[in-house]
Amino acid sequence: MSLESKKNYILEELRRNGCRITSQRQLLIDIILQDECSSCKEIYYQANKEDSSIGMATVYRLVKTLEEAGLIQRKNMYRIDYETLAAGA
């Protein structure tokens, strides 16, 4: 599954869960997919370099939303669970 396919799948799942897809959310998802950050702080620092309007609360809310949707697991240090994505696709 390509990065773009993974991103599209995640965005579609967020839409199904009633989330608006904002440019900030897309940027955060890109960072998570590309760098497999180990903490919300790392995600925040990388995102803030590209968009200074992104706050720490935005990162925490998106990570929580991804976790609740089953798209991300804390035990995997905020890595997207590709096996789960592939099984659901």
Side-chain angles (χ1 to χ4, degrees):
M1 188 181 266
S2 71
L3 276 180
E4 194 62 32
S5 297
K6 292 171 189 171
K7 180 179 177 181
N8 288 336
Y9 179 81
I10 292 165
L11 294 175
E12 187 56 38
E13 287 299 308
L14 289 174
R15 282 187 193 97
R16 273 185 241 185
N17 287 317
C19 293
R20 287 185 314 118
I21 305 304
T22 65
S23 60
Q24 289 182 337
R25 286 185 177 143
Q26 289 187 41
L27 174 62
L28 293 171
I29 290 167
D30 286 339
I31 290 168
I32 293 168
L33 284 171
Q34 291 171 4
D35 296 320
E36 297 185 343
C37 296
S38 64
S39 71
C40 286
K41 278 187 180 180
E42 284 182 26
I43 296 167
Y44 166 74
Y45 290 131
Q46 288 192 21
N48 197 263
K49 289 178 191 174
E50 294 185 46
D51 183 349
S52 61
S53 70
I54 293 178
M56 185 67 87
T58 302
V59 175
Y60 277 103
R61 278 193 303 269
L62 179 62
V63 167
K64 181 180 178 193
T65 300
L66 291 171
E67 202 169 28
E68 288 172 349
L71 297 168
I72 198 170
Q73 295 180 359
R74 239 176 247 258
K75 70 178 179 116
N76 288 334
M77 303 297 286
Y78 300 120
R79 290 187 177 102
I80 300 298
D81 186 357
Y82 301 123
E83 291 78 30
T84 301
L85 289 178

